[in-house]
Amino acid sequence: MADRDDTGAPVPVPERVRRVVSIVPSLTETVAVTAPGLLAGATDWCTHPEGLDVPRVRGTKNPDLERIRELRPDVVLGNTEENRPADVEALRAAGVAVWMTEIRTVDEALASLRRMLTTACRVPVPGWLDEAARVWAAVTPGEPRAAVVPVWRRPWMVVGRDTFTGDVLSRLGVANVYAGHPERYPKIPLDELNASGADLVVLPDEPYHFTEDDGPESFPGIDVALVGGRHLTWYGPSLVRAHAELRERLAAARTY
């Protein structure tokens, strides 16, 4: 009987997994840190761990499906937000086992990664994952803030409802102004962002690379926190340090 991934889809994972291709940066880092010998391929955007030397299969939204098949993976790891259903279906139609994760909260991340590693990769639960669970169980909210969280400009796009990013921030005391928006990543005009009532703007360095010279000037009179996108949006080994790194960056928020 096939195991089922986060979406409930049956995935024919072999008894022993020797080759894994990941098409999500967070999942790539998860496997590379936990069982580096398993990783047989990753996307061009998979930047961690630093110095990762594996075959590349283009991006999360345009993976090279033929190259993935050539790598003969026992299982491909994907995510419902990062990867397109058409690509997943094409791989499965070609006989490739694809394990999909679905992660919108810290708790879901911890549970999903545990299942992915033990069931889809056939490896024991790593110590860093247990440590991440302990860390986040003990996190207490900081000073209450109301924030907008842009992830792109030209046009401006922000974090909306039901996102991992929003849950991470809420645990630190930061309420996302657009958490009730019907879209998960709505396009909002800049004047509306500035009039939203937010007292904080959180600018990550990915997917758009916001910097001190690119982004803060758009929000005069509002505190801006520049944060690492990996700590804000990635689920994996970065979870161990994410809360501390984000808390430090949020405390350093200032007007520009």
Side-chain angles (χ1 to χ4, degrees):
M1 182 177 178
D3 297 297
R4 293 185 178 273
D5 66 14
D6 288 358
T7 71
V11 184
V13 180
E15 279 288 313
R16 182 176 177 187
V17 173
R18 296 179 175 86
R19 297 176 63 79
V20 172
V21 169
S22 168
I23 50 176
V24 178
S26 294
L27 303 184
T28 296
E29 184 181 23
T30 295
V31 175
V33 169
T34 304
L38 290 185
L39 200 61
T43 75
D44 298 348
W45 300 104
C46 294
T47 57
H48 286 77
E50 292 184 10
L52 182 65
D53 184 17
V54 295
R56 302 295 175 155
V57 296
R58 287 205 306 250
T60 58
K61 306 297 186 187
N62 66 334
D64 185 336
L65 303 184
E66 182 58 33
R67 179 63 175 141
I68 291 174
R69 290 193 291 269
E70 289 173 354
L71 291 171
R72 299 176 291 103
D74 292 312
V75 65
V76 171
L77 306 177
N79 177 264
T80 55
E81 181 171 307
E82 297 283 343
N83 308 122
R84 302 183 307 173
D87 293 325
V88 175
E89 291 165 10
L91 286 170
R92 286 175 171 165
V96 178
V98 182
W99 182 277
M100 295 299 289
T101 59
E102 189 164 47
I103 295 171
R104 298 187 180 184
T105 68
V106 172
D107 287 343
E108 285 182 357
L110 296 169
S112 178
L113 294 178
R114 185 174 293 264
R115 290 186 61 242
M116 184 192 80
L117 288 169
T118 58
T119 304
C121 298
R122 308 295 195 204
V123 297
V125 176
W128 67 258
L129 187 54
D130 285 335
E131 176 63 15
R134 286 192 293 271
V135 163
W136 282 95
V139 167
T140 55
E143 176 189 355
R145 305 293 299 263
V148 294
V149 190
V151 292
W152 202 259
R153 66 181 300 179
R154 305 184 190 95
W156 287 95
M157 296 177 64
V158 300
V159 172
R161 64 171 179 84
D162 298 334
T163 66
F164 176 77
T165 296
D167 189 60
V168 166
L169 289 173
S170 71
R171 287 165 177 261
L172 297 172
V174 179
N176 175 15
V177 170
Y178 289 97
H181 196 282
E183 297 179 34
R184 298 186 68 231
Y185 295 97
K187 296 176 183 177
I188 308 291
L190 182 58
D191 58 348
E192 290 186 27
L193 295 180
N194 276 299
S196 67
D199 58 34
L200 175 69
V201 179
V202 179
L203 295 180
D205 60 11
E206 62 175 73
Y208 187 92
H209 186 61
F210 289 106
T211 66
E212 287 192 349
D213 301 318
D214 186 355
E217 77 288 345
S218 299
F219 302 95
I222 304 177
D223 282 352
V224 174
L226 291 161
V227 304
R230 178 166 165 267
H231 293 118
L232 185 63
T233 66
W234 287 37
Y235 30 84
S238 57
L239 281 170
V240 175
R241 287 285 307 158
H243 76 293
E245 296 286 344
L246 290 170
R247 195 185 295 279
E248 180 179 328
R249 293 300 188 103
L250 291 170
R254 65 180 179 88
T255 57
Y256 284 77

